[in-house]
Amino acid sequence: MDQDDCEEGETELRRQSVGGWGLLQIAGCTGLTAYVVWAGILMPGFRRVPLRLQVPYIPASRKQVQNVMTLLDGRSGKMVDLGSGDGRIVLEASKRGFHPAVGYELNPWLIRLSKFYAWRAGCHGKVSYMKQDLWKVDLSDCSNVTVFLAPSVLSLLQVKLLSELPEDAWIVAGRFPFPSWKPCCVVGEGVDKAWRYSAKRLRQENESQITQDGTAV
């Protein structure tokens, strides 16, 4: 085949359109790929969780991690991240001296990813990632708690935190604030915003409200 034949063939191919069937095949492959990612990576751990309590995995940005750590500046002791995702909050907390630093996550793939990041950072054995339902975790010895959860989950989590956390505990929420709590400190803007709450202060405010009108908040 000479050069003229090659150029003529190339021109003919350019004139041909993909067509409806070709586009349908491309769309089908794209959808299948997306489903495989969801089913294999994001879905495990969600199957037995009620829909309103499901929280999609969205990794925290560098700025979000920084803001959370800023709100925990000067603190020490045990730190837990409820719904720890790929473990970056726990890893950064360990680097800043929190011990033990523990992440609770239902998705086994994310736990494996967290452990890989910890190993790569030279923190293997210094952090813990547990496959456990956050609703079943005992928080009575946790002085520092971080959460990156949806508002529907946060509204229910308020009761558990206040009933279990020690008096000196601090809670830091990223992306979304607790709907019924007044934060004692806020840093960041937009999606990078983080809120800090004091268990002692929240209980005092709750008791004050009950005294005033006889109803729990």
Side-chain angles (χ1 to χ4, degrees):
M1 183 181 288
D2 57 26
Q3 183 175 356
D4 290 339
D5 291 336
C6 290
E7 291 178 353
E8 191 173 316
E10 181 180 354
T11 301
E12 182 63 25
L13 286 173
R14 288 177 178 174
R15 288 174 180 171
Q16 294 179 2
S17 62
V18 175
W21 175 244
L23 290 174
L24 185 61
Q25 287 180 311
I26 293 173
C29 290
T30 302
L32 178 60
T33 301
Y35 174 79
V36 168
V37 171
W38 167 252
I41 299 178
L42 302 180
M43 190 64 177
F46 276 14
R47 296 187 180 100
R48 294 185 298 275
V49 179
L51 182 61
R52 68 187 178 124
L53 299 183
Q54 293 181 8
V55 182
Y57 164 56
I58 304 175
S61 68
R62 187 180 300 240
K63 188 63 177 178
Q64 288 172 337
V65 174
Q66 179 182 334
N67 288 341
V68 167
M69 290 299 108
T70 296
L71 290 176
L72 290 175
D73 189 38
R75 299 280 287 181
S76 60
K78 184 175 183 179
M79 176 271 179
V80 300
D81 187 25
L82 301 178
S84 54
D86 61 13
R88 63 186 66 192
I89 294 288
V90 176
L91 188 56
E92 184 62 28
S94 177
K95 292 178 180 178
R96 300 196 182 206
F98 288 91
H99 181 78
V102 185
Y104 292 101
E105 172 62 51
L106 274 178
N107 190 317
W109 291 98
L110 292 177
I111 292 176
R112 292 188 183 100
L113 184 61
S114 300
K115 291 181 177 180
F116 168 73
Y117 286 154
W119 170 81
R120 190 176 64 179
C123 294
H124 178 69
K126 297 180 180 179
V127 294
S128 299
Y129 297 105
M130 314 291 291
K131 184 179 181 298
Q132 190 169 345
D133 187 341
L134 66 85
W135 302 104
K136 299 178 181 179
V137 174
D138 181 7
L139 301 174
S140 60
D141 64 342
C142 301
S143 301
N144 309 281
V145 177
T146 59
V147 292
F148 275 73
L149 299 172
S152 59
V153 181
L154 293 175
S155 62
L156 299 175
L157 190 59
Q158 293 178 158
V159 177
K160 176 178 174 63
L161 292 174
L162 281 189
S163 65
E164 296 183 16
L165 288 176
E167 194 74 356
D168 63 343
W170 282 10
I171 309 110
V172 176
R175 287 203 191 99
F176 299 104
F178 283 90
S180 303
W181 288 355
K182 181 179 179 181
C184 51
C185 189
V186 181
V187 298
E189 297 292 336
V191 295
D192 295 327
K193 188 178 290 188
W195 298 259
R196 186 180 73 206
Y197 307 87
S198 162
K200 181 178 180 179
R201 178 173 171 180
L202 289 169
R203 287 187 180 117
Q204 290 174 342
E205 293 175 350
N206 195 36
E207 291 173 0
S208 176
Q209 186 65 32
I210 291 174
T211 300
Q212 290 178 14
D213 57 20
T215 59
V217 179

